[in-house]
Amino acid sequence: MRFVCTVIFLTGFFAVTRAQQLQVYDLWCDSKVNPVGIDDPAPRLSWKLKAEGMNILQQAYSLRVATAADFKKEHLVWESGKTGGDESAYVPYRGPALKPATRYYWQVKVWDNRKRESPWSGTAFWETGILAPSGWKATWIEPVQDTARSLGTNIPALMVRKDFNISKKIVSARAYVTSHGFYELSINGRKVGDELLTPGWTSYNKRLQYQVYDITPYLQQGSNAVGAFLGDGWYRGRLGWAENFGVWGKTLGLLCQLSIRYADGSEETIVSDKSWKGTGDGPIVMNSIYDGETYDARKELDGWN
């Protein structure tokens, strides 16, 4: 009996060891780890191999995507099946059309040139963005502003804000934001995200980038406030060294949409609209991508955001 038990133990040990000789790790989607706000209809998936031995090559892979991390049949969206090839970077998703504002979980397993099969990788995810213009419920807000500028004179940054109330338990929340000019968004007095110069450089007559943020930890039951600074940026600020103010446009604006999901299954959307308040009389009295910023602390408005 002792001999039989030992054989069974060793068999299991070697099976586990073989599985550990080939593993998949470091999963990326569109060059990001677990990104939120992917607007690509066919995100590109990447992974790395960890293997024992030399000259190990991937010969096939299998991808699976689901709407739940358990990958049960009812949650599966797409399975590639065993697919021959050594691709492990920027492999496009080839499943059914993705839904907006939805989280998708994915895993991958591989086979190598020694006929070893890896276990399924750890679980990664991506979350889609709005995907189509029709998904935007927000409208552009453009506070009253001075759009004329003479040589050597800079216009102050704008401030916009809105109060709103939450009476239910929050499960998750996202902010979808873009602007004409720069924006800096904050909720309940905290700056949202760690990015600067958003929404980023672009050719404004062709496209406008937007960012998506997980704002779940920023919100609270009861009273909430959302606010944003708006600055000239590349949109309205001068480009180059000549006085060419307002190359793309002379009016700054914000497009902001907060989507909140509650524990009872309901959803609520807070959007930029005419109910927001705006002013140009704030502490940033001058802002420029070339000349920097002038901040007058005497003009601070406590609690505005």
Side-chain angles (χ1 to χ4, degrees):
M1 181 63 70
R2 181 178 301 172
F3 173 76
V4 173
C5 290
T6 302
V7 170
I8 292 175
F9 170 77
L10 290 175
T11 302
F13 172 78
F14 288 124
V16 171
T17 301
R18 284 197 299 272
Q20 291 177 342
Q21 289 176 345
L22 180 64
Q23 298 179 55
V24 182
Y25 74 106
D26 203 9
L27 276 59
W28 291 56
C29 174
D30 278 359
S31 300
K32 296 180 181 293
V33 177
N34 296 336
V36 173
I38 295 298
D39 217 29
D40 186 347
R44 290 151 295 179
L45 309 176
S46 305
W47 59 88
K48 296 178 182 178
L49 304 184
K50 183 183 295 184
E52 294 183 2
M54 299 178 66
N55 301 319
I56 306 301
L57 301 174
Q58 174 186 298
Q59 290 197 328
Y61 65 87
S62 179
L63 286 162
R64 64 181 182 182
V65 178
T67 54
D70 57 16
F71 292 94
K72 290 183 178 179
K73 186 176 181 180
E74 60 267 29
H75 298 141
L76 281 175
V77 175
W78 175 62
E79 289 184 282
S80 70
K82 186 175 182 179
T83 304
D86 59 0
E87 293 178 293
S88 61
Y90 302 106
V91 177
Y93 165 81
R94 295 187 176 94
L98 300 172
K99 297 179 180 180
T102 301
R103 177 169 291 192
Y104 291 92
Y105 299 88
W106 67 286
Q107 290 181 317
V108 60
K109 67 190 307 184
V110 301
W111 290 260
D112 69 7
N113 54 335
R114 296 187 180 182
K115 299 183 178 180
R116 294 181 299 189
E117 176 182 344
S118 78
W120 285 105
S121 68
T123 302
F125 70 83
W126 79 84
E127 195 170 294
T128 52
I130 292 180
L131 295 181
S134 60
W136 285 94
K137 309 304 179 187
T139 56
W140 282 97
I141 53 174
E142 298 174 334
V144 175
Q145 53 196 285
D146 182 2
T147 59
R149 191 176 79 167
S150 59
L151 185 65
T153 303
N154 291 281
I155 300 175
L158 303 177
M159 301 165 68
V160 293
R161 74 179 305 275
K162 178 181 176 62
D163 288 324
F164 59 97
N165 189 72
I166 293 177
S167 59
K168 303 177 183 179
K169 183 179 179 181
I170 303 167
V171 172
S172 65
R174 302 289 182 265
Y176 305 85
V177 195
T178 189
S179 63
H180 288 152
F182 289 155
Y183 76 83
E184 182 178 291
L185 187 75
S186 59
I187 294 177
N188 293 330
R190 296 170 56 195
K191 181 181 181 298
V192 175
D194 60 358
E195 298 178 339
L196 301 172
L197 310 184
T198 47
W201 165 261
T202 190
S203 183
Y204 290 96
N205 60 341
K206 295 181 180 179
R207 67 185 66 87
L208 186 60
Q209 299 166 163
Y210 73 95
Q211 283 74 45
V212 183
Y213 304 99
D214 180 355
I215 57 169
T216 310
Y218 293 80
L219 298 176
Q220 61 191 15
Q221 284 187 276
S223 297
N224 292 264
V226 55
F229 277 113
L230 297 176
D232 286 1
W234 295 288
Y235 180 78
R236 189 169 75 172
R238 64 184 174 87
L239 299 179
W241 307 114
E243 178 57 25
N244 51 6
F245 171 74
V247 172
W248 302 105
K250 293 182 170 60
T251 303
L252 302 183
L254 179 74
L255 191 67
C256 179
Q257 186 163 306
L258 311 182
S259 297
I260 307 170
R261 295 179 180 176
Y262 297 113
D264 64 3
S266 63
E267 299 184 13
E268 182 178 11
T269 304
I270 309 295
V271 300
S272 53
D273 57 21
K274 292 181 179 179
S275 66
W276 288 52
K277 308 291 185 181
T279 181
D281 190 24
I284 302 178
V285 297
M286 185 277 285
N287 72 102
S288 167
I289 54 175
Y290 288 113
D291 303 325
E293 175 182 291
T294 300
Y295 190 92
D296 186 345
R298 297 171 299 176
K299 290 179 171 288
E300 288 183 349
L301 301 176
D302 290 340
W304 74 276
N305 59 355

